[in-house]
Amino acid sequence: MPTFPEQLRARRLEAGLSLADLSTRTGYDRTYFAHAESGRRTATEPFAAAVDVALNADGELYKAWEKEDAIRRRDAATHRTRAAALAISRDLCAMADLDISELHAGVEATAVDYLGTPPAPMMDRAHALRAEAAERIRSGHHRPQDRSDLYVTAGQLSGVLAYALLDMGDPQEALHHVAAAARCAEYAGDAELAAWVAGTRSLICRFMGDYGLALDAIRDGYQHVGSGTGTGEARLRCGEAQCLANLGDSQAANAALDGAEVARERIRRPDSLGGLFGFSAAKQSYYAGSSLIWLDGGHDAERAAREATAAIGMWQAGPDDERSLDDERLAHVYLATARVQLGDVEGAAEAIAPILSLPLEEQISWIIKRADRLASMLSAPRFQGNRAAEETVQAIKELAA
């Protein structure tokens, strides 16, 4: 949809008015108009109201300005939260004393809610909870025996912030939060959290395309994995498979996924915290599908399609508190990608269809990133003239816009 500056210029030209004419009608000088039309200057509310009347826009120009102003206000609020959250992460990295145990319920609820909520409100909640924890840390209002719990709580909330910023498309900022989480895990002496943090650091590095650093993070995480304790090893092995697949090693990637299945069979004690910090069987299948689509098709693409289909099915049939909506949506993208690799364009279009009508606030960075790759694949010469391919590419471009 045209922006306010674009609509202003179009309506002025349609009315046959010069900048000087409109300046005379509204009392604003022509330089102000020139800057407002070019977007070099953000129009004020009185200006928007004045030009709406002067151009007989019946409120349409003012509505366009109002919509953009709401977006500007939202973005400014998000920026303030991110800046404040980043400052606390840096503080936590430098602090030697953390504590608090009363926030467990808030952390547990946040970890579960993250699976079905857009990242921005989760960032706000995690920041608020961690700010409260940080205040109690600084004031020393805790029992000595609660110190380890405080480290874990602060680390988990830092981990939520890392995920939120990554989902919002800022891996560099996410790395600051994951560094804070790692420091908290170290101070708490919590191997389970340390393994989760290592897997998350690897995830961020994979998002950035640095698979060497991502593998280093995985290997660091293995030292924190205990026999039969939680899903940490299965998650790390799946992360290793993603790295190896992106590096083109099909045999090693499949072996890592097979190792993840063995690790899941060995689990004797559940994760301490679920939701974002768990690694369900559905998530494991999702990781498998998202790994193998980076290889050359064939048997890898067939397994990727099976795993992505299994993940979608398990999430749709499973309990709501284990259903990760963003990952389920991404699984549709990965299923579509695998089908394109197998030459099934119509099947790919069917798989991606539920994602193409997502509202803006639910289009996390991962979805845009992976859907763009799918569009590139469908734009290959061998699919030219294929109506399903052309329509899907166009729909993906509109999604990203």
Side-chain angles (χ1 to χ4, degrees):
M1 182 175 180
T3 64
F4 172 81
E6 291 169 345
Q7 291 187 47
L8 172 59
R9 177 176 174 78
R11 285 182 178 275
R12 178 178 64 79
L13 294 176
E14 183 179 350
L17 298 174
S18 67
L19 291 175
D21 294 333
L22 205 50
S23 175
T24 300
R25 290 191 180 193
T26 62
Y28 287 87
D29 65 63
R30 59 182 297 169
T31 301
Y32 189 105
F33 270 100
H35 288 169
E37 282 192 356
S38 68
R40 289 194 298 271
R41 180 170 183 171
T42 300
T44 63
E45 182 176 9
F47 175 82
V51 294
D52 189 279
V53 172
L55 292 170
N56 298 315
D58 295 326
E60 293 302 317
L61 263 179
Y62 183 83
K63 287 179 184 176
W65 175 89
E66 196 173 40
K67 181 177 180 181
E68 292 178 15
D69 184 65
I71 293 172
R72 285 191 291 269
R73 291 174 183 274
R74 182 198 67 196
D75 290 346
T78 296
H79 177 76
R80 289 193 296 271
T81 298
R82 286 173 60 167
L86 187 57
I88 292 177
S89 269
R90 287 170 174 158
D91 286 347
L92 287 173
C93 286
M95 293 170 73
D97 292 309
L98 303 170
D99 32 284
I100 204 141
S101 59
E102 300 145 344
L103 300 176
H104 283 313
V107 175
E108 290 174 3
T110 300
V112 171
D113 291 348
Y114 194 99
L115 301 183
T117 308
M122 289 290 94
M123 176 193 69
D124 290 340
R125 187 196 297 183
H127 169 58
L129 287 169
R130 197 179 61 162
E132 180 183 346
E135 175 57 31
R136 297 191 191 184
I137 291 164
R138 296 186 183 105
S139 66
H141 292 166
H142 63 274
R143 297 175 300 172
Q145 61 269 34
D146 290 337
R147 185 174 299 273
S148 179
D149 282 345
L150 184 147
Y151 281 113
V152 172
T153 298
Q156 290 165 338
L157 290 167
S158 297
V160 173
L161 284 166
Y163 251 88
L165 268 298
L166 184 62
D167 284 343
M168 292 166 69
D170 196 329
Q172 292 293 345
E173 202 164 319
L175 282 173
H176 283 286
H177 295 307
V178 90
R183 183 63 60 88
C184 292
E186 177 189 350
Y187 290 159
D190 192 295
E192 183 179 349
L193 178 58
W196 184 89
V197 169
T200 302
R201 188 190 302 277
S202 177
L203 177 67
I204 297 169
C205 291
R206 297 196 298 273
F207 182 92
M208 298 168 68
D210 193 331
Y211 299 103
L213 277 179
L215 272 175
D216 288 343
I218 292 293
R219 288 159 184 163
D220 175 67
Y222 283 140
Q223 68 179 305
H224 303 294
V225 171
S227 178
T229 55
T231 59
E233 182 183 356
R235 180 173 182 250
L236 287 169
R237 293 200 180 279
C238 285
E240 182 179 10
Q242 288 193 335
C243 295
L244 294 168
N246 275 277
L247 292 171
D249 193 336
S250 171
Q251 183 176 356
N254 278 279
L257 293 175
D258 294 340
E261 293 178 1
V262 173
R264 180 167 292 278
E265 293 172 358
R266 288 200 298 261
I267 295 173
R268 297 293 177 268
R269 192 186 76 190
D271 295 313
S272 299
L273 190 61
L276 183 64
F277 295 90
F279 194 69
S280 65
K283 185 87 173 199
Q284 187 162 328
S285 286
Y286 158 84
Y287 260 66
S290 68
S291 300
L292 299 177
I293 58 168
W294 298 100
L295 294 163
D296 295 329
H299 294 303
D300 290 316
E302 290 173 357
R303 183 175 182 180
R306 288 196 305 273
E307 297 281 11
T309 300
I312 294 168
M314 282 187 277
W315 271 318
Q316 291 180 347
D320 288 342
D321 62 357
E322 291 184 6
R323 188 176 185 181
S324 176
L325 292 180
D326 287 335
D327 290 337
E328 184 179 323
R329 290 161 180 163
L330 276 165
H332 280 274
V333 182
Y334 299 145
L335 174 58
T337 303
R339 286 178 174 173
V340 170
Q341 291 175 324
L342 295 168
D344 182 6
V345 176
E346 287 71 22
E350 179 184 1
I352 194 70
I355 311 306
L356 300 179
S357 59
L358 285 176
L360 180 62
E361 64 272 13
E362 295 181 19
Q363 297 173 25
I364 67 168
S365 58
W366 287 102
I367 291 176
I368 300 300
K369 195 179 181 80
R370 300 305 182 226
D372 282 347
R373 178 183 180 235
L374 176 63
S376 296
M377 295 170 66
L378 287 169
S379 300
R382 67 180 177 133
F383 297 127
Q384 285 186 0
N386 185 301
R387 183 175 179 181
E390 293 173 351
E391 291 177 349
T392 303
V393 169
Q394 183 58 37
I396 290 173
K397 288 179 179 178
E398 292 173 1
L399 178 72

